[in-house]
Amino acid sequence: MEKFIFRFDTILNTKEKIEEDRKNKLGISMKKLVTEQEHLQRLFQKKNDMVNQWQEKSSKIVKISELRSISNNLDIMQNIIDKQLNVVEQSELETENRRKQLLEASKQKKVFEKLKEKDYEEHKYNQLKKEDALTDEIVSYKAVCR
């Protein structure tokens, strides 16, 4: 039986490498997203601690300068949180884009895999026909020789 050689094998291999690369990029992007979300959670926790500190101090007799300082720190923390929210949002968009790119690469690879399957089935059919023809030829030759 002849060996099956897929005519688009190099393209299929390239598509598989592209898909693998995009899987890796998606994984990196997802890890980055998780890291940024964790950082945001830590910032929220710090802000909550600062709010508790401010409430605690405001219930006691303290200098206005201390309250003002805590209030300024809260404003700064809110600005940092806003920036981190933007970073998380950008990271989510990047992850979603990477996911779409991976889906597209998977679709392209599957097209060539289906084509390979069809070509292989056709190859098997042609080989079967050749074997049948050879068998018929052998039988005919033996019949003639008798």
Side-chain angles (χ1 to χ4, degrees), residues 25-72:
K25 287 181 179 179
L26 176 62
I28 290 168
S29 181
M30 290 174 76
K31 284 181 183 179
K32 179 183 174 191
L33 175 61
V34 168
T35 302
E36 296 298 342
Q37 288 173 333
E38 288 172 352
H39 181 65
L40 181 63
Q41 291 302 318
R42 287 191 301 270
L43 289 174
F44 277 129
Q45 185 59 43
K46 282 184 181 180
K47 181 183 175 189
N48 287 338
D49 292 344
M50 291 172 79
V51 167
N52 291 338
Q53 181 185 12
W54 186 79
Q55 288 174 345
E56 188 178 299
K57 294 245 180 186
S58 64
S59 65
K60 299 177 182 175
I61 300 176
V62 291
K63 294 181 182 178
I64 293 180
S65 61
E66 283 185 50
L67 291 176
R68 196 174 291 152
S69 173
I70 293 172
S71 178
N72 287 338

